[in-house]
Amino acid sequence: MGWGDLGVFGEPSKETPNLDQMAAEGMLFLDFYTASPLCSPSRAALLTGRLPVRNGFYTTNGHARNAYTPQDIVGGIPDSELLLPELLKKAGYTNKIIGKWHLGHRPRFHPLRHGFDEWFGSPNCHFGPYDSRERPNIPVYRDWDMVGRYYEDFKIDLKTGEANLTQFYLQEALDFISKQQASQQPFFLYWAIDATHAPVYASKQFLGTSQRGLYGDAVREIDDSIGKILKHLQQLGISENTFVFFTSDNGAALISAPRQGGSNGPFLCGKQTTFEGGMREPAIAWWPGHIPAGGVSHQLASVMDLFSTSLSLAGVQPPSDRQIDGIDLLPVMLQGRLIDRPIFYYRGNELMAVRAGLYKAHYWTWSNSWEEHSKGIDFCPGQSVAGVTTHTQEEHTYLPLLFHLGRDPGEKYPLSFASEEYQRAVEHISGLVQQHKASLVPGQPQLNVCDQAVMNWSPPGCEKLGKCLKAPESDPKKCSWPH
């Protein structure tokens, strides 16, 4: 989902009453960022509190390339990384993931090996259907074992967009919360639904109900589900003891727009890019009785902060043997404080841009290649800005492109290199970059090698269902990442 997809952020259809109400009862973050303009690295950053370049969720196969975890990826979340659920276990938490994992699908990367106690969902996106010869359909898991596959046992009608997955995920969430409340057990729920990822889907009761078409139908169903989850917490009497945060893993995918893509509001470009539209996300914190209602924060914040904030809430110390990039947002939410910190915008192995205060400096610009663009792949449709949305990788290390995001949130008007304002801001940001790079120890890249033999041919539990497929011979190759 994009920054501009919610009514509270100005979406004109006003079709997200529950999320808008969540914001009215909690705190809206206007300057909240993901750690990557793509799904898998963002999720790895959320659960480790570390930049993808540190936790291994990047590639060195090409400079400044986005990469994720498709079926044929060999890598995944390393055993050396400490995930939020692993640490929360120490404080007696029961942890569940519902929906999309996307941190590796081979058995060693299974979420129950990395701190989660329960799982209902899938290791990959709901792409397909596939023919089971060149490529298998994606499995859906309950805990350790698959319980079926997308398109075969979990239907997604690509013609109508109908699928009941969000309803399944909603019921799983309500049941899990009820069970934990009944046993007086503290819990962490990672509700990672994916209905707004193309191919977009919604259940029958929501199809055709939005002014925005199928994408809007999916947003309305997610909004309705979040309303039901919050109401459930209130009815169980545990809302004042439960911290809830809503955000997205990257900006709206404009390559899928307008039918299957969302809105990034006033921001430039979308998913896959390190412009604001790719990495600034909708974000709402909700904790009745603690977070003052109707709050709006300009704190520069990140999905990695959810790692540090959650540990703080649980009374667990963050690991001291590694660099943690997230900060504790409790002083921001509870006392209205602002913490001075930069935001680093990475694309693969390259630091593309840095934000400090209201200034953002681009050290590299690139939307996508001319070759891809000529095929109709466009991450910035209708938003060409000369010298900014470039189709070749352009380096600006010595003279960064500088924007004042308060006056120019759409990154359309670079400041003059000769101005005093430019000199002051770039000097400050350059110091932050030097400090960051001096302490940076990149992790072993996990997204370099692909092999058809590691795809979801025979996931755990396939024997019981008669759904095991014969894998081809192993033939590892370098993954190709054009973006």
Side-chain angles (χ1 to χ4, degrees), residues 168-243:
F168 293 151
Y169 295 151
L170 169 60
Q171 195 57 53
E172 286 286 325
L174 299 177
D175 291 347
F176 175 71
I177 292 167
S178 293
K179 185 172 73 173
Q180 302 316 308
Q181 190 273 340
S183 62
Q184 297 293 295
Q185 180 73 24
F187 65 90
F188 166 53
L189 172 60
Y190 176 33
W191 197 65
I193 60 345
D194 64 354
T196 49
H197 188 302
V200 172
Y201 62 79
S203 59
K204 192 170 185 177
Q205 71 208 74
F206 289 93
L207 286 178
T209 63
S210 168
Q211 293 186 46
R212 305 178 65 193
L214 180 57
Y215 182 86
D217 296 341
V219 171
R220 289 199 68 232
E221 184 166 17
I222 290 171
D223 175 78
D224 180 78
S225 299
I226 290 167
K228 288 185 167 119
I229 290 171
L230 298 183
K231 187 176 180 183
H232 193 56
L233 292 169
Q234 291 167 326
Q235 289 173 337
L236 291 175
I238 57 172
S239 60
E240 293 195 2
N241 204 28
T242 308
F243 173 71

Side-chain angles (χ1 to χ4, degrees), residues 251-308:
L254 301 186
I255 188 175
S256 310
R259 290 184 177 274
Q260 302 247 330
S263 166
N264 295 313
F267 302 123
L268 186 62
C269 302
K271 179 179 178 177
Q272 301 265 14
T273 77
T274 49
F275 300 112
E276 292 297 286
M279 293 186 61
R280 201 190 294 204
E281 309 306 328
I284 304 168
W286 186 86
W287 188 15
H290 300 272
I291 296 174
V296 175
S297 178
H298 290 281
Q299 172 67 46
L300 298 192
S302 161
V303 292
M304 296 178 288
D305 301 342
L306 299 178
F307 175 90
S308 302

Side-chain angles (χ1 to χ4, degrees), residues 91-374:
Y93 279 72
T94 298
N95 310 303
K96 180 160 185 164
I97 171 174
I98 297 173
K100 179 174 159 184
W101 166 239
H102 228 201
L103 299 190
H105 59 272
R106 297 166 67 201
R108 62 181 289 192
F109 305 124
H110 194 291
L112 270 61
R113 291 192 189 279
H114 293 272
F116 284 102
D117 300 292
E118 299 179 24
W119 181 25
F120 179 78
S122 176
N124 305 86
C125 281
H126 55 279
F127 292 135
Y130 298 119
D131 62 6
S132 297
R133 293 184 299 278
E134 296 294 318
R135 198 170 285 263
N137 280 322
I138 308 292
V140 175
Y141 279 80
R142 179 169 296 285
D143 299 333
W144 288 107
D145 292 340
M146 70 175 281
V147 289
R149 295 184 188 267
Y150 285 143
Y151 297 97
E152 297 170 19
D153 313 280
F154 295 87
K155 305 296 184 186
I156 304 170
D157 189 322
L158 294 182
K159 288 183 181 175
T160 65
E162 183 179 351
N164 290 328
L165 296 174
T166 302
Q167 292 303 307
F168 293 151
Y169 295 151
L170 169 60
Q171 195 57 53
E172 286 286 325
L174 299 177
D175 291 347
F176 175 71
I177 292 167
S178 293
K179 185 172 73 173
Q180 302 316 308
Q181 190 273 340
S183 62
Q184 297 293 295
Q185 180 73 24
F187 65 90
F188 166 53
L189 172 60
Y190 176 33
W191 197 65
I193 60 345
D194 64 354
T196 49
H197 188 302
V200 172
Y201 62 79
S203 59
K204 192 170 185 177
Q205 71 208 74
F206 289 93
L207 286 178
T209 63
S210 168
Q211 293 186 46
R212 305 178 65 193
L214 180 57
Y215 182 86
D217 296 341
V219 171
R220 289 199 68 232
E221 184 166 17
I222 290 171
D223 175 78
D224 180 78
S225 299
I226 290 167
K228 288 185 167 119
I229 290 171
L230 298 183
K231 187 176 180 183
H232 193 56
L233 292 169
Q234 291 167 326
Q235 289 173 337
L236 291 175
I238 57 172
S239 60
E240 293 195 2
N241 204 28
T242 308
F243 173 71
V244 185
F245 202 94
F246 168 84
T247 190
S248 177
D249 60 351
N250 45 248
L254 301 186
I255 188 175
S256 310
R259 290 184 177 274
Q260 302 247 330
S263 166
N264 295 313
F267 302 123
L268 186 62
C269 302
K271 179 179 178 177
Q272 301 265 14
T273 77
T274 49
F275 300 112
E276 292 297 286
M279 293 186 61
R280 201 190 294 204
E281 309 306 328
I284 304 168
W286 186 86
W287 188 15
H290 300 272
I291 296 174
V296 175
S297 178
H298 290 281
Q299 172 67 46
L300 298 192
S302 161
V303 292
M304 296 178 288
D305 301 342
L306 299 178
F307 175 90
S308 302
T309 305
S310 299
L311 292 180
S312 178
L313 282 163
V316 177
Q317 287 297 316
S320 58
D321 63 343
R322 64 199 65 204
Q323 180 70 43
I324 301 297
D325 296 293
I327 64 171
D328 180 4
L329 293 177
L330 285 183
V332 176
M333 295 184 292
L334 303 183
Q335 298 150 26
R337 283 178 49 195
L338 286 177
I339 300 166
D340 185 24
R341 62 90 69 89
I343 294 291
F344 297 107
Y345 302 69
Y346 270 88
R347 184 161 171 162
N349 60 347
E350 185 59 74
L351 179 62
M352 303 288 284
V354 178
R355 179 175 175 184
L358 289 169
Y359 293 100
K360 180 179 178 183
H362 289 266
Y363 291 92
W364 288 84
T365 52
W366 188 39
S367 50
N368 63 310
S369 68
W370 282 116
E371 181 188 3
E372 294 287 302
H373 193 256
S374 66

